[in-house]
Every structure is written in structure tokens, then in C-alpha cells.
Amino acid sequence: MGINVEIAQDWHAALAALSWQYDLGVEDVVLDAAVNRYDLPEATRTAKLEAPVPGPGPGAGIVPVPKGRSPSPAIAPQPVVAAPAVDVVAVAQAAAGRAGTLDALREALATFEHCDLKRGARNLVFADGNPKARVLILGEAPGRDEDMEGLPFVGSAGQLLDQMFAAIGMSRRSPDAQAALYITNVLPWRPPGNRDPEPEEIAMMRPFVERHIALVDPQVIVAMGNAPLFALTGSKGILRARGSWGQAFGRPLLPMTHPAYLLRNPIAKREAWADLLALQVRLRG
Ligand code: URA
């Protein structure tokens, strides 16, 4: 039986193209045709927040045609005018500061147009759990499962997180504030390919995190991993910081290793268990 060389070549070319896309962070097929979300009209992204920019608008640059003469196709050179730089952290501070409730904060995030991650995400991942909880868990950023469901910590790391806290009698589903958890992330949109959050992204989202914590008003914050530790304290190194109580926004802070790290390094579960017991003692005291 002969091999159809053309089909075999197509197959290899398609596989190479697919593998290249996967390396770039494309993991799911959503539509039949590609949509470049970065091609959204600039106006819809920035119009509300930037000062009007003099320069080319609709029809700008077209040479006026005297009455009675047919229009010439000549186009005048377009002046290049840079848009004024926007202080995105200040914009985030103002937007977060105006939010007087959790619903308003969710809306403020949903309409915040300065974080590029939003354009690549399927869903805004705001929070889960009981807003009356004494313990607020701050994670890093949504992964694939969280992006699909619009809820934090629902993938394999989230399942481990639920089991860990169940071991000390706490749950995001508990209606009892004493035993309840409230869970949110530093970034509300999934970074492509689950890459680490960039410092600029953390700085931009930090005002929302601060407001989120103020509105929930937890007794204790748990920072799950490096990005939340950095967002809350400005320092890195979760493996050194874990297990020692610190402070964030005037509240007790317990840094812990991320459950995804524990899945990769089961030996570290022993220390995580010690951290959970320290949390339990603190809450009892
Ligand atoms: N890891 C996180 O830090 N947050 C999530 O929501 C999921 C995984």
C-alpha cells in the first residue's frame, strides 16, 4: 500500500503549527476562526480614560476638495501624535476607591480596561466563598480551569486547597463565618500559558486587592505563594517566609506555599500542615 506523500506532509505541517501555537500558550480551541482581541478598536479601550488627542480623527488628513471638482485620491501626511501616558496604577486606585461594596468592586474590575490579560481571558475571576469569613485566602491568578469557570481555585490545586482547609474544619462553602473561607487572587484574569504574573500587573491590580481586603474585612490573610506575598509585602521568597506571621494592610498575614507547589513537592506538605495548625491556634486565641 502506497503512502500519500502530500497528506503526510500536511499532517506534519499541521502538527508543527499546532505545537508552535501550544508553545506560545494556546491551549484551547474556542472558535473555528481566530479572533485577535488586541485588534479591538482603541477607542473602546481608552476613550473614557484618556484626554482627547488632537490629530487624526475620521476623515483627518484628507485634502478638502473645492466644490465642482472631483475628489482627488491625494492623502495628506498624517501627523504622528503620541497618546498621553496613563498612570494605570492611579486609575486603578481611583476605580477601586470608588467601590463601596463587593458587587461594585467586581463591576469596577469588569470595566477596567488597562490590563491586557483581560483581552486573552474567558472570564473575570473575582472571588468565591463567604464574604463574612474570618480568613481570606489570596492566591496568584486563575489557571485554565478557573478561567473556564470564572471561580478561583477550582482545578487540581484548588481541590488540594479545599482538602487542606477541611482538615482544620474550614471551608469556602461554610455559612458559619467562624469556619468559612473567602478566596480571591492577585490577578483576576488568567495569564497566558499560566506564566507568572509580571510585577507591573501586580502593581496595577494591587489597589483592587487592597480594596477587596478592606471590604471583606477578614481577621487573618493567608498569602498562597510568591505573587500574593509580593503583592502584600513587596518581598519575595515564599519558602523562607512561609510559616512566620507577618502583617499586610494592618492585618495578620500567614504566608504559605501554594498548593500547586505541594502537588509537585509532596514532601513540603508536612510544613503546610504545620502552617494550618498555626492558623487554627491563632483563630482559637
Ligand atoms: N492558583 C491560584 O493561585 N489561583 C487560582 O485561582 C488557581 C490556581
Side-chain angles (χ1 to χ4, degrees), residues 61-263:
I62 298 182
V63 179
V65 181
K67 272 191 182 150
R69 296 243 314 263
S70 59
S72 140
I75 306 287
Q78 307 243 343
V80 178
V81 182
V86 176
D87 180 346
V88 288
V89 175
V91 174
Q93 274 164 347
R98 282 192 296 271
T101 62
L102 288 172
D103 283 346
L105 188 68
R106 181 197 286 265
E107 186 56 24
L109 276 166
T111 52
F112 185 73
E113 301 296 345
H114 290 270
C115 183
D116 275 349
L117 296 177
K118 180 178 182 183
R119 278 175 272 287
R122 279 203 185 95
N123 279 303
L124 168 76
V125 177
F126 183 67
D128 195 17
N130 183 342
K132 296 201 163 48
R134 289 195 295 167
V135 176
L136 181 145
I137 297 174
L138 185 65
E140 181 173 303
R144 182 179 179 276
D145 297 317
E146 291 76 20
D147 181 46
M148 305 257 279
E149 285 198 33
L151 289 171
F153 281 104
V154 291
S156 50
Q159 285 158 26
L160 177 57
L161 180 135
D162 285 340
Q163 287 163 9
M164 287 162 60
F165 281 87
I168 57 164
M170 304 195 79
S171 158
R172 65 173 104 186
R173 296 280 153 258
S174 175
D176 171 12
Q178 301 295 309
L181 299 170
Y182 185 84
I183 306 176
T184 185
N185 281 313
V186 176
L187 302 185
W189 297 288
R190 181 194 184 193
N194 295 345
R195 66 156 169 75
D196 288 342
E198 302 284 353
E200 296 76 23
E201 291 163 348
I202 294 179
M204 197 191 304
M205 289 299 129
R206 196 173 176 278
F208 292 103
V209 172
E210 181 173 4
R211 191 78 190 126
H212 210 148
I213 291 172
L215 289 169
V216 175
D217 193 17
Q219 201 173 311
V220 168
I221 305 169
V222 176
M224 279 295 177
N226 260 317
L229 178 69
F230 181 66
L232 294 174
T233 67
S235 54
K236 293 181 182 166
I238 191 69
L239 294 181
R240 256 177 293 115
R242 63 138 286 278
S244 301
W245 287 91
Q247 285 265 321
F249 304 128
R251 296 160 203 270
L253 170 70
L254 181 64
M256 287 185 65
T257 44
H258 195 284
Y261 175 82
L262 299 177
L263 287 172

Side-chain angles (χ1 to χ4, degrees), residues 252-285:
L253 170 70
L254 181 64
M256 287 185 65
T257 44
H258 195 284
Y261 175 82
L262 299 177
L263 287 172
R264 294 192 302 271
N265 302 278
I267 192 86
K269 285 183 184 172
R270 182 199 299 233
E271 290 168 347
W273 176 236
D275 299 344
L276 287 169
L277 292 179
L279 175 65
Q280 193 177 41
V281 168
R282 181 103 188 194
L283 292 170
R284 279 187 188 147

